[in-house]
Amino acid sequence: MDTIESNKKKNRRSNITFLLVFLMGILILFYPFITAVYYDYQSSNDVNNFDKELETLSDREIDIRINKAKAYNTTLTNGEMLTDVFSEKQKEEGKALYAKMLEVHEKIGHIEIPSIHQDLPLFAGTSERILQQGLGHLERTSLPVGGKSTHTVITGHRGLPDKKLFTDLDKVEKGDMVYVHNIKEILAYKIDSIDVIEPNDFRKLKIRPGKDELTLLTCTPYMINSHRLIVTGHRVPYTPEVKKQHEATKDPWWFKFLNVYKNYLIGILIALVIYLLYRYCISRRKRIQNEKE
């Protein structure tokens, strides 16, 4: 009888230990999932708030802001193509403001990449504080307002435990579309070049006369970060056909959820199966013990 009681106590302690270890594992497994879902919710709110706040700006104010941004952009090419449009005073004002003229609640827009199910807030600059929040506009590159002789470079992190950002940027392919939302309009870019470059190689980020280009930049290889992955596209008109194509890529929230978080969901499913198998083994062992008694 004492042996039976002793075995029961040992089994109980073993069960409690396993349960504690299992719960700890579940918490560790769930942490990145919960934080990633929270960030996705937060960034969606940032994007929606940016679009909503634009309704409070008048067309005149928006045009003034956009013109200041374009004046800034001409300073990056010594005024090529637009020499007679902006005065030196306007260009100096643009330089002084940098991206302030495009900001709405600190954001200067958002970047939509349908092929990897991302729509992320865009901030001015590339400080670590900014890149922990969303995407950053690389200083000394064109502001995201389009126009001839412009090249906008957008940077983002990969491999952060609590958010996706540019983690899946390597899955973007030539021909995919990227949409830039600024305070005035949506700019559409079609990806035509994907390259891996050295960290100090800026040749492919330079402005090409007469071209209107966008580059998405992140570190590569994944978690090693010795080089830079650059995904570049050229501007295409946002025609009714392109708009229709754009709207067709907007996934239902549940479809985006499954695509973005499928790896987490698989992990949770595996953990659930392990737990159910454990419960089955415990139940079977108890049943055998009861039959022996």
Side-chain angles (χ1 to χ4, degrees), residues 126-159:
T126 55
S127 69
E128 188 57 29
R129 180 185 70 84
I130 283 171
L131 294 181
Q132 287 291 330
Q133 296 180 72
L135 305 180
H137 168 261
L138 184 63
E139 299 94 331
R140 300 302 299 166
T141 71
S142 308
L143 290 172
V145 293
K148 291 182 179 180
S149 300
T150 62
H151 192 163
T152 301
V153 180
I154 307 300
T155 68
H157 276 320
R158 293 180 82 193

Side-chain angles (χ1 to χ4, degrees), residues 93-242:
E93 184 180 19
K95 286 170 67 176
L97 287 171
Y98 172 39
K100 292 290 182 185
M101 72 287 283
L102 297 179
E103 284 188 353
V104 174
H105 288 254
E106 295 188 344
K107 294 172 284 294
I108 63 173
H110 55 102
I111 307 294
E112 197 176 349
I113 315 171
S115 61
I116 58 172
H117 313 283
Q118 292 296 310
D119 190 0
L120 300 163
L122 175 63
F123 300 84
T126 55
S127 69
E128 188 57 29
R129 180 185 70 84
I130 283 171
L131 294 181
Q132 287 291 330
Q133 296 180 72
L135 305 180
H137 168 261
L138 184 63
E139 299 94 331
R140 300 302 299 166
T141 71
S142 308
L143 290 172
V145 293
K148 291 182 179 180
S149 300
T150 62
H151 192 163
T152 301
V153 180
I154 307 300
T155 68
H157 276 320
R158 293 180 82 193
L160 295 182
D162 57 343
K163 49 185 77 78
K164 296 282 284 187
L165 298 176
F166 275 173
T167 296
D168 294 334
L169 189 62
D170 60 329
K171 296 176 182 176
V172 173
E173 299 177 348
K174 290 181 182 179
D176 287 349
M177 299 295 295
V178 176
Y179 301 96
V180 178
H181 299 247
N182 63 32
I183 60 172
K184 182 176 183 178
E185 59 189 335
I186 299 173
L187 311 179
Y189 291 86
K190 189 172 186 177
I191 301 303
D192 54 30
S193 173
I194 299 171
D195 296 285
V196 174
I197 62 173
E198 296 284 343
N200 57 353
D201 182 6
F202 302 109
R203 287 173 297 175
K204 290 184 179 291
L205 304 182
K206 289 183 177 180
I207 294 169
R208 296 196 293 169
K211 302 293 184 179
D212 184 340
E213 296 179 305
L214 168 79
T215 289
L216 307 178
L217 181 153
T218 193
C219 296
T220 198
Y222 184 68
M223 300 301 286
I224 297 175
N225 304 336
S226 59
H227 290 70
R228 302 292 179 263
L229 171 66
I230 58 171
V231 176
T232 302
H234 65 277
R235 176 107 174 261
V236 297
Y238 195 67
T239 61
E241 290 76 17
V242 173

Side-chain angles (χ1 to χ4, degrees), residues 57-116:
L57 300 177
S58 67
D59 291 343
R60 182 173 180 277
E61 183 179 358
I62 288 174
D63 285 340
I64 289 172
R65 289 188 179 205
I66 290 292
N67 280 335
K68 287 179 179 179
K70 289 183 175 180
Y72 169 85
N73 284 347
T74 64
T75 67
L76 305 176
T77 57
N78 296 319
E80 288 179 29
M81 311 293 288
L82 295 167
T83 305
D84 297 326
V85 177
F86 298 104
S87 67
E88 287 302 316
K89 181 180 178 182
Q90 287 174 311
K91 287 189 264 188
E92 286 303 316
E93 184 180 19
K95 286 170 67 176
L97 287 171
Y98 172 39
K100 292 290 182 185
M101 72 287 283
L102 297 179
E103 284 188 353
V104 174
H105 288 254
E106 295 188 344
K107 294 172 284 294
I108 63 173
H110 55 102
I111 307 294
E112 197 176 349
I113 315 171
S115 61
I116 58 172

